[in-house]
Amino acid sequence: MSDTTPPIRRARGPWLPLGALLAVAVLAVGINLLADRFLARARIDLTEQHLYTLSDGTRQVLGNLKDPITLRFFYSRRLGAAVPVFGAYADRVREMLREYVSLSSGKLRLEILDPEPFSETEDRALAAGLQGVPLDNGGESVYFGLAGSNLLDDERSVAFFQPDRERFLEYDLTRLVYELSNPTRPVLGVISSLPLNGDPRAMMMRVPGAGQPFQVMTQLRQFFTVRDVPADAQAIPADIGVLLVAHAQNLPEATFYAIDQFVMRGGKLFALTDPHSESQAARPDPTGRPAASTASNLDRLFNAWGIEAPSDKVVVDQRGAWRVRAGPGDRVGAVDYLAWFSAQGDSLSRTDVASADLAQVTFASAGEVRKRQGSSIELTPLVTSSAQSAVVDAARVREPDPTRLLADFRPDGGRHVLLARVRGVLNSAFPEGAPALPEGTARAPDLPAHRGASSGPVNLVVGNDADLLEDRFWVRTQDFFGQQVATPTSDNGSLVTNLADTLAGGDSLISLRSRGESLRPFTRVDEMRADADARYRQTERGLTERLQATERRLRELRQGPGGSAQTVITPEQRAEIDAARAEIVRTRQELRGVQRGLRQGIESLETWLRVINIALVPALITAFAIGLAVLRARRRAAARG
């Protein structure tokens, strides 16, 4: 006898769906609480150029913070409401600052302030050195800047976040944090055969302007403690962070060894050699005679490090060449001197923070910098010549003939590197240790232990033109009521200062490069708009010419053969006048219709973009949820069946 008892079905009341909804709500709240507790620092950067992903250099700076730093972000919300571009940029700055705080292990503290007009917060912004910008004619200013301070009350600020520097936002922020965490002014050592810090002999001769320090050294002293290093030094002092070696001639082996070991220990070297120093050629030697040799090189070190900077060749460039006086026998008064030129445009690296914002850099009788064949170093150009350049013998600029140089010029089609960053693990140029000293010279005590190679990748800046520093090629100095006022004509000083600054900031700042911009234009829309505008202008021109011809014919009909107004108009003329008027109305309608029709494609595309950005993603999520619900319902129905 089989069991025919039907299965017991439990009655479903109205409380079951409500209970399920309540359980889902509790689960959602619980997940949010857990995520806020354990995943507060989790980030997913879905931007194409990873705008919100901080580089390893920034993470290293933040990880090495020892003392607390307070950042105050002053942002006027009225600015974003009036100019949406600044609002979008402010969102990026704010999110990046929050990311800095989350990676600082509690060492960074962020305050976000809205300085209302005539408020105490506005007074704090002004006291911190921020720049107020008038938003309208009412005289009230808005602010968009950052002020930072450390425990020693040292302060650094970004006066106003300019959208033009958005590519270097991370560098600017990291540099501010780095300087606050390392408030001691870095030391810059200088080895040079040029009177960079002034020439006492020339000053004693009371020649106006002679003997003064180079303007670039005056700029460097604003950021560094500058210290001369003797040309016969056996060791570079330990407190020197950046060493500038500029046109250093006839260095002894002991000094080469000191520079080598400075680099092996991780010191930052800024080396400028020169195949022909125009600066030295214009200055007599201590005996009053012209310099016997105007070339310099560091081949003793460069050959071992995988770098080439030839001292017998000079780069000449037709683009940006300076106009100089021609020779006495030439018929022309001025001629392009190809050995003196200003590198500009695509000759300057736009990805390096030191050169990205510069307009031009002037070189004089410069040589090129190359990577030696087989070398493993990484050589990144900072400044190159243009494609209208070539390499000639240095002898042609030591006794220059600008007219002949121009007449014989044939561009080789290549771009020659004039200034570059060098990075890599280097072997010492002295594998056997310190060289022997000249007889009668005592070895300096407490020399650091010899290193046969660098412990990690080193960072150098190498250029083959020390005239980069010479005043007459980049600055004009004038007397203003007894004071010397320097006006830059080129960006040489800014480039040298920027490079020294990045080197002093260590590997963390050197590794930072240009990033993308958050404001991404709709290139397709722009192309369509430009194409529509071009086609509209062509059609508009034809219709306008037809309209003008019709109006001219109408005036002729109204005036008569002699040009005077007619008193009697025949029926035929009246009909022709009416036809001309109708033609004018029709032409004007066509003109408006062409403009409206040609813009329909742009407006349609913009509408679809708005729909996709605003409605498509929520619609897809909703459709996915509905589909998932239907699928689950079918599975349950199938299981019950």
Side-chain angles (χ1 to χ4, degrees), residues 380-411:
T380 305
L382 292 171
V383 186
T384 64
S385 65
S386 74
Q388 305 171 34
S389 62
V391 176
V392 301
D393 289 335
R396 302 196 62 179
V397 300
R398 294 186 180 125
E399 296 182 1
D401 185 348
T403 305
R404 181 67 179 274
L405 188 64
L406 180 61
D408 296 341
F409 173 69
R410 299 291 183 274

Coordinates of all heavy atoms in Angstrom, one line a residue, residues 380-411:
T380 N 68.2 60.1 -20.9 CA 67.0 60.7 -21.2 C 67.2 62.2 -21.6 O 67.7 63.0 -20.8 CB 66.0 60.7 -20.0 OG1 65.8 59.4 -19.6 CG2 64.7 61.3 -20.4
P381 N 67.0 62.5 -22.9 CA 67.3 63.9 -23.4 C 66.4 64.9 -22.7 O 65.2 64.7 -22.5 CB 67.0 63.8 -24.9 CG 67.0 62.4 -25.2 CD 66.6 61.6 -24.0
L382 N 67.0 66.0 -22.3 CA 66.3 67.2 -21.8 C 66.2 68.3 -22.8 O 65.1 68.9 -23.0 CB 66.9 67.7 -20.5 CG 66.9 66.8 -19.3 CD1 67.8 67.4 -18.2 CD2 65.5 66.7 -18.7
V383 N 67.3 68.5 -23.5 CA 67.3 69.5 -24.6 C 68.0 68.9 -25.8 O 69.1 68.3 -25.6 CB 68.0 70.8 -24.1 CG1 67.9 71.9 -25.2 CG2 67.4 71.3 -22.8
T384 N 67.5 69.1 -26.9 CA 68.1 68.6 -28.2 C 68.1 69.7 -29.2 O 67.4 70.7 -29.1 CB 67.3 67.4 -28.8 OG1 66.0 67.8 -29.1 CG2 67.2 66.2 -27.8
S385 N 68.9 69.5 -30.2 CA 68.9 70.5 -31.3 C 67.7 70.1 -32.2 O 67.0 69.1 -32.0 CB 70.2 70.3 -32.1 OG 70.3 69.1 -32.7
S386 N 67.4 71.0 -33.2 CA 66.3 70.8 -34.1 C 66.8 69.8 -35.2 O 68.0 69.5 -35.3 CB 65.8 72.1 -34.7 OG 66.7 72.6 -35.6
A387 N 65.9 69.5 -36.1 CA 66.3 68.7 -37.3 C 67.1 69.4 -38.3 O 67.7 68.9 -39.2 CB 65.0 68.1 -37.9
Q388 N 67.1 70.8 -38.1 CA 67.9 71.6 -39.0 C 69.3 71.9 -38.4 O 69.7 73.0 -38.2 CB 67.2 72.9 -39.3 CG 65.8 72.8 -39.8 CD 65.1 74.1 -39.8 OE1 65.7 75.1 -40.1 NE2 63.8 74.0 -39.6
S389 N 70.0 70.8 -38.0 CA 71.3 71.0 -37.3 C 72.3 70.0 -37.8 O 72.0 69.1 -38.6 CB 71.1 70.7 -35.8 OG 70.6 69.4 -35.6
A390 N 73.5 70.2 -37.4 CA 74.6 69.3 -37.9 C 75.8 69.4 -36.8 O 75.7 70.2 -35.9 CB 75.1 69.7 -39.2
V391 N 76.8 68.6 -37.0 CA 78.0 68.6 -36.1 C 79.2 69.0 -37.0 O 79.4 68.4 -38.0 CB 78.2 67.2 -35.5 CG1 79.4 67.2 -34.6 CG2 77.0 66.9 -34.6
V392 N 79.9 70.0 -36.5 CA 81.1 70.4 -37.2 C 82.3 70.4 -36.2 O 82.2 70.2 -35.0 CB 80.9 71.9 -37.7 CG1 79.8 71.9 -38.7 CG2 80.7 72.9 -36.6
D393 N 83.5 70.5 -36.8 CA 84.7 70.6 -35.9 C 84.7 71.8 -35.0 O 84.3 72.9 -35.5 CB 86.0 70.6 -36.8 CG 86.2 69.3 -37.5 OD1 85.7 68.3 -37.0 OD2 86.8 69.3 -38.6
A394 N 85.2 71.6 -33.8 CA 85.2 72.7 -32.9 C 86.1 73.8 -33.3 O 86.0 75.0 -32.9 CB 85.6 72.2 -31.5
A395 N 87.1 73.5 -34.1 CA 88.1 74.5 -34.6 C 87.4 75.6 -35.4 O 87.9 76.8 -35.4 CB 89.1 73.9 -35.5
R396 N 86.2 75.3 -35.9 CA 85.5 76.3 -36.7 C 84.8 77.4 -35.9 O 84.4 78.4 -36.4 CB 84.4 75.7 -37.6 CG 85.0 74.6 -38.6 CD 84.1 74.3 -39.7 NE 83.8 75.4 -40.5 CZ 83.0 75.4 -41.6 NH1 82.4 74.2 -41.9 NH2 82.8 76.4 -42.3
V397 N 84.7 77.2 -34.6 CA 84.1 78.2 -33.7 C 85.2 78.9 -32.8 O 84.9 79.9 -32.2 CB 83.0 77.6 -32.8 CG1 81.9 77.1 -33.7 CG2 83.5 76.6 -31.9
R398 N 86.4 78.3 -32.8 CA 87.4 78.9 -32.0 C 88.0 80.2 -32.7 O 88.4 81.1 -32.1 CB 88.5 77.9 -31.7 CG 88.1 76.8 -30.8 CD 89.2 75.8 -30.4 NE 88.6 74.8 -29.5 CZ 88.8 73.5 -29.8 NH1 89.4 73.1 -30.9 NH2 88.2 72.6 -29.0
E399 N 87.9 80.2 -34.0 CA 88.2 81.3 -34.8 C 87.0 81.5 -35.8 O 87.1 81.1 -37.0 CB 89.5 81.2 -35.6 CG 90.7 81.1 -34.7 CD 92.1 81.0 -35.4 OE1 92.0 81.1 -36.7 OE2 93.1 80.9 -34.8
P400 N 85.9 82.0 -35.3 CA 84.7 81.9 -36.0 C 84.6 82.8 -37.3 O 85.2 83.9 -37.3 CB 83.6 82.4 -35.0 CG 84.4 83.3 -34.1 CD 85.8 82.7 -34.0
D401 N 83.9 82.3 -38.3 CA 83.6 83.0 -39.5 C 82.1 82.7 -39.7 O 81.8 81.7 -40.4 CB 84.4 82.6 -40.7 CG 84.2 83.4 -41.9 OD1 83.2 84.1 -41.9 OD2 85.0 83.3 -42.9
P402 N 81.2 83.5 -39.2 CA 79.7 83.2 -39.3 C 79.3 83.0 -40.7 O 78.4 82.2 -41.0 CB 79.1 84.4 -38.6 CG 80.1 84.9 -37.6 CD 81.4 84.7 -38.3
T403 N 79.7 83.9 -41.6 CA 79.3 83.8 -43.0 C 79.7 82.5 -43.7 O 78.9 81.8 -44.3 CB 79.8 85.0 -43.8 OG1 79.4 86.2 -43.1 CG2 79.3 85.0 -45.2
R404 N 80.9 82.1 -43.5 CA 81.4 80.9 -44.0 C 80.7 79.7 -43.4 O 80.4 78.7 -44.1 CB 82.9 80.8 -43.8 CG 83.6 79.5 -44.4 CD 83.5 79.5 -45.9 NE 84.2 78.3 -46.5 CZ 85.5 78.2 -46.7 NH1 86.3 79.3 -46.4 NH2 86.0 77.1 -47.2
L405 N 80.5 79.7 -42.1 CA 79.8 78.6 -41.4 C 78.4 78.4 -42.0 O 78.0 77.3 -42.2 CB 79.8 78.9 -39.9 CG 79.3 77.7 -39.0 CD1 80.2 76.5 -39.1 CD2 79.2 78.2 -37.6
L406 N 77.7 79.5 -42.3 CA 76.4 79.5 -42.8 C 76.4 79.0 -44.3 O 75.6 78.2 -44.7 CB 75.7 80.8 -42.7 CG 74.3 80.9 -43.3 CD1 73.4 80.0 -42.5 CD2 73.8 82.4 -43.2
A407 N 77.4 79.4 -45.0 CA 77.5 79.0 -46.4 C 77.8 77.5 -46.6 O 77.3 76.9 -47.5 CB 78.5 79.8 -47.1
D408 N 78.6 77.0 -45.7 CA 78.9 75.5 -45.7 C 78.0 74.6 -45.0 O 78.1 73.4 -45.0 CB 80.3 75.3 -45.1 CG 81.4 76.1 -45.9 OD1 81.1 76.4 -47.1 OD2 82.5 76.3 -45.4
F409 N 76.9 75.2 -44.4 CA 76.0 74.4 -43.6 C 75.2 73.5 -44.4 O 74.6 73.8 -45.4 CB 75.1 75.3 -42.7 CG 74.1 74.6 -42.0 CD1 74.4 73.9 -40.9 CD2 72.7 74.7 -42.3 CE1 73.4 73.2 -40.1 CE2 71.7 74.1 -41.6 CZ 72.1 73.3 -40.5
R410 N 75.1 72.2 -43.9 CA 74.3 71.2 -44.5 C 73.7 70.4 -43.4 O 74.4 69.6 -42.7 CB 75.1 70.2 -45.4 CG 75.7 70.9 -46.7 CD 74.6 71.4 -47.6 NE 75.3 72.0 -48.8 CZ 75.7 73.3 -48.9 NH1 75.5 74.1 -47.9 NH2 76.2 73.7 -50.0
P411 N 72.4 70.5 -43.1 CA 71.8 69.7 -41.9 C 71.9 68.2 -42.2 O 71.8 67.8 -43.3 CB 70.4 70.2 -41.9 CG 70.1 70.7 -43.3 CD 71.4 71.3 -43.8

